């Protein structure tokens, strides 16, 4: 993990491979952002003019490198675009700082140390810069031979980040840095899990990772294997995992702040590989299906982060883990499964498997009567068609709760959008054979999936469903602090929900 420090040193005298400064897009060209005054002074106040000559505009994500002025101990100045210049008396938003820091950290891969001289008005700004830089420095090289040899791995992640303008002894600044470190480390662990090939990450292996983390951070963990799932009647999880040689698991990982505290339950879809089962996916749709456990990875990371931050709220994570494969023992279209809740489900499409494992886990989580349940899943292609690759959908049985989650998501920089649960779509899941079918109308498929899950939520329990099918795995180029591959989508939203619940902001 990249090292992180706060520094009061002057940019001119700090030994580093690069000094990172921010520039904004002004009405008449690039404008040097606060934090870079010493660097601008060394350019005789003409840094913006020099950068404009080099083609810089200050646009978001733009990177321009130039030699450092005489007298600097760092050889390079890296200017990163912050986007539009704030209005008078306003400051740069945290998300702009996160994205700029992430872009700079990625551009400096292979460097040992960089000093970030970006705008800091308050401790929260230092936290945003730290978070963005740590997330932007991420890389997944575990399976690349060159990465194992430091001499040949020129693109190793930026090793050390110094944030200039921070206050190392200030409690608020220290707290923000500690938060950024814990959050980024766990989110990056979620990314690692999502990126790990399915031949190395099956349900049993995922459960082992969760067990090790629970031991490390003092969490309670319970792993239900196939025998325990059969004894407990978890027909949904067992039905999805029936075709695989790697048996399914249900993992409960719990952080306790104490008796009488609010209780949140997070439920994650953990399909470690999704072939579609007997309803096999068409060619071209299988290659990235190792990411179908991104919901469980997000839940796992959020619970561990809550524990590391010692939040004043009880948080329980439920990881519904299975591998969906076709074989002679696999569940067939037309089969009926008896779920943990007692409901029966006619399986019309074995590729609509995520809702089956989630249904069992949601029903089990409901038995503890938490104050709220939030499930997270790469659930439907329909949600990607509706919202694109960078936005997740939020459904809920409580409009105020849904609004709160979308607000928290926006606050942390995870685009989301509130989605309805139209009651008329429920009829499409009526089954002549069972209580409900796992498929309904094709149009509005993401909403149909949400309605299915709602059937398994305990009576009177506030619930929300996050369909992260779009943003969970980035098949395009990296942007901001988001890498190619697993992104860790929803981790920060869940953590923010836990923080705000701990603060008493959710009633």
């Amino acid at each position: 993990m990249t090292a992180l420090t706060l520094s009061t040193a002057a940019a001119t005298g700090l030994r580093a491979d690069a000094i990172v400064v921010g520039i904004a897009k002004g009405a008449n060209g690039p404008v040097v952002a606060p934090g870079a005054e010493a660097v601008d002074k060394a350019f005789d106040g003409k840094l913006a003019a020099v950068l404009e000559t080099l083609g810089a505009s200050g646009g978001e994500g733009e990177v321009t490198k130039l030699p450092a002025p005489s007298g600097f101990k760092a050889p390079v100045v890296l200017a990163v675009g912050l986007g539009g210049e704030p209005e008078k008396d306003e400051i740069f938003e945290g998300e702009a700082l996160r994205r700029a820091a992430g872009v700079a950290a990625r551009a400096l891969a292979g460097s040992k140390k960089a000093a970030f001289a970006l705008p800091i008005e308050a401790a929260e700004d230092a936290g945003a810069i730290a978070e963005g830089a740590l997330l932007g420095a991420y890389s997944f090289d575990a399976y690349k031979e060159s990465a194992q040899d430091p001499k040949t791995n020129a693109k190793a992640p930026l090793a050390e980040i110094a944030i200039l303008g921070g206050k190392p002894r200030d409690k608020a600044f220290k707290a923000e840095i500690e938060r950024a470190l814990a959050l980024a480390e766990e989110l990056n662990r979620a990314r690692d899990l999502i990126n790990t090939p399915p031949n190395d990450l099956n349900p049993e292996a995922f459960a082992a990772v969760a067990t090790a983390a629970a031991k490390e951070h003092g969490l309670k963990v319970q792993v239900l294997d196939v025998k325990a799932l059969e004894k407990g009647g978890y027909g949904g999880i067992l039905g999805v995992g029936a075709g695989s040689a790697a048996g399914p698991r249900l993992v409960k990982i719990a952080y306790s702040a104490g008796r009488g505290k609010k209780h949140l339950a997070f439920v994650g879809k953990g399909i470690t590989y999704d072939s579609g089962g007997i309803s096999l996916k068409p060619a071209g749709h299988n290659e990235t299906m190792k990411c179908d456990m991104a919901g469980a990875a997000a839940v796992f990371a959020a619970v561990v982060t809550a524990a590391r931050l010692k939040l004043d709220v009880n948080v329980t994570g439920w990881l519904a883990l299975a591998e969906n494969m076709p074989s002679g023992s696999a569940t067939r279209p037309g089969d009926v499964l008896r779920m943990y809740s007692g409901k029966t489900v006619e399986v019309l499409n074995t590729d609509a498997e995520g809702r089956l494992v989630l249904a069992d886990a949601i029903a089990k989580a409901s038995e503890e009567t938490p104050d709220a349940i939030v499930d997270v899943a790469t659930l439907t292609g329909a949600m990607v068609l509706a919202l694109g690759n960078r936005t997740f959908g939020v459904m809920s049985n409580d409009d105020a709760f849904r609004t709160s989650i979308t607000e928290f998501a926006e606050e942390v920089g995870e685009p989301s959008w509130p989605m309805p649960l139209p009651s008329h779509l429920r009829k499409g899941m009526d089954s002549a054979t069972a209580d409900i079918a796992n498929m309904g109308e094709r149009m509005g498929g993401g909403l149909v999936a949400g309605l299915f899950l709602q059937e398994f939520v305990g009576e009177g329990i506030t619930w929300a469903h996050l369909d992260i099918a779009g943003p969970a795995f980035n098949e395009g180029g990296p942007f901001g602090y988001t890498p190619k591959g697993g992104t860790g989508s929803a981790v920060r939203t869940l953590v923010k929900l836990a923080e705000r619940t701990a603060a008493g902001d959710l009633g």
Side-chain angles (χ1 to χ4, degrees), residues 189-194 196-198 200-214 221 223 247-251 253 268-273 290-301 304 318-322:
R189 172 153 53 178
R191 289 172 169 177
D192 283 348
L193 287 167
I194 297 165
T196 298
D200 281 346
L201 190 76
N202 60 24
E204 182 180 4
F206 197 149
V209 172
T211 300
V221 65
V223 178
R249 298 288 188 274
L250 176 62
V251 178
I253 182 168
K269 173 187 173 182
I271 305 300
T272 57
Y273 183 74
K290 64 182 181 180
C291 80
D292 213 19
M293 36 60 66
V299 165
F300 168 57
V304 177
W318 299 89
L319 316 180
L321 310 175

Side-chain angles (χ1 to χ4, degrees), residues 214-496:
K215 184 177 181 180
E216 179 184 356
H217 296 289
L219 305 176
K220 291 183 180 179
V221 65
Q222 179 185 24
V223 178
L224 300 185
D225 60 12
V226 173
K227 286 185 178 180
L229 292 169
E230 289 173 344
K231 184 176 180 181
Y234 293 88
I237 297 174
L238 289 166
V240 173
S244 174
R249 298 288 188 274
L250 176 62
V251 178
K252 176 186 178 182
I253 182 168
Y255 161 67
S256 177
R259 198 175 278 183
K261 307 296 183 184
K262 290 282 188 179
H263 180 199
L264 296 174
F266 297 154
V267 179
K269 173 187 173 182
I271 305 300
T272 57
Y273 183 74
D274 183 18
S275 69
I278 296 295
S279 305
L280 196 66
K281 291 180 182 292
H285 290 74
N286 290 289
E287 289 77 3
T288 61
M289 280 300 102
K290 64 182 181 180
C291 80
D292 213 19
M293 36 60 66
V299 165
F300 168 57
V303 174
V304 177
T305 302
R308 291 183 60 174
L309 296 179
K310 297 181 172 58
L311 299 183
D312 199 23
V313 58
N314 297 322
V315 185
T316 303
W318 299 89
L319 316 180
L321 310 175
E323 186 176 62
N324 188 25
M325 297 291 286
S327 76
S329 60
T331 295
R332 296 151 293 219
D335 283 355
V336 174
L337 305 177
R338 184 169 296 278
M339 311 296 282
Y340 177 79
S341 68
K343 286 183 186 289
T344 54
V345 176
E346 183 181 11
V347 179
L348 299 181
N349 186 336
T350 64
D351 196 24
E353 84 299 329
R355 64 199 71 183
L356 298 175
V357 299
L358 286 173
D360 273 356
I362 288 170
K364 180 62 177 177
S366 295
E367 291 181 348
E368 297 187 350
T369 59
D371 293 286
I373 295 174
V374 179
D375 77 73
V376 187
T378 49
L379 206 60
T380 65
M383 197 57 58
V384 186
L385 291 173
L387 300 178
N389 291 320
R390 297 191 184 185
T391 303
F392 62 76
V394 183
M395 286 157 259
S396 179
N397 60 5
D398 184 301
D399 289 349
F401 189 56
R402 182 185 63 188
T403 297
S404 293
I405 289 179
T406 55
E407 288 175 350
F408 298 158
E410 181 180 5
E411 186 177 337
V412 301
E414 294 188 324
S416 70
W417 197 255
M419 302 294 284
L421 288 169
S423 58
H424 70 273
L425 291 176
R426 169 61 182 85
K427 184 171 178 56
M429 290 184 284
D430 285 348
S431 166
T433 308
D435 295 321
I436 190 172
N438 77 328
M439 292 292 288
E441 294 183 28
R442 180 170 175 268
M443 299 303 175
L447 312 182
V448 170
L451 286 165
F452 179 90
L453 295 177
Q454 188 177 25
E455 295 274 326
F456 298 88
V457 179
E459 186 175 352
I461 298 176
T462 299
W463 158 80
H465 162 55
L466 278 53
D467 190 335
I468 62 169
F473 197 83
N474 176 27
E475 295 186 63
F479 58 93
Y481 46 79
T482 301
K484 185 179 178 67
T487 66
S489 177
V491 172
R492 292 179 297 143
T493 297
L494 294 178
V495 172
K496 180 58 67 174

Side-chain angles (χ1 to χ4, degrees), residues 37-87:
E37 291 85 358
V39 179
D40 190 30
K41 183 178 179 182
F43 279 92
D44 296 325
K46 298 178 181 178
L47 177 57
V50 172
L51 289 168
E52 187 171 24
T53 301
L54 295 173
S57 69
E60 182 183 320
E62 189 179 75
V63 171
T64 308
K65 291 183 180 180
L66 67 163
S70 176
F72 273 58
K73 292 185 178 179
V76 173
V77 171
L78 185 147
V80 61
L82 288 160
E85 184 182 19
E87 298 292 331

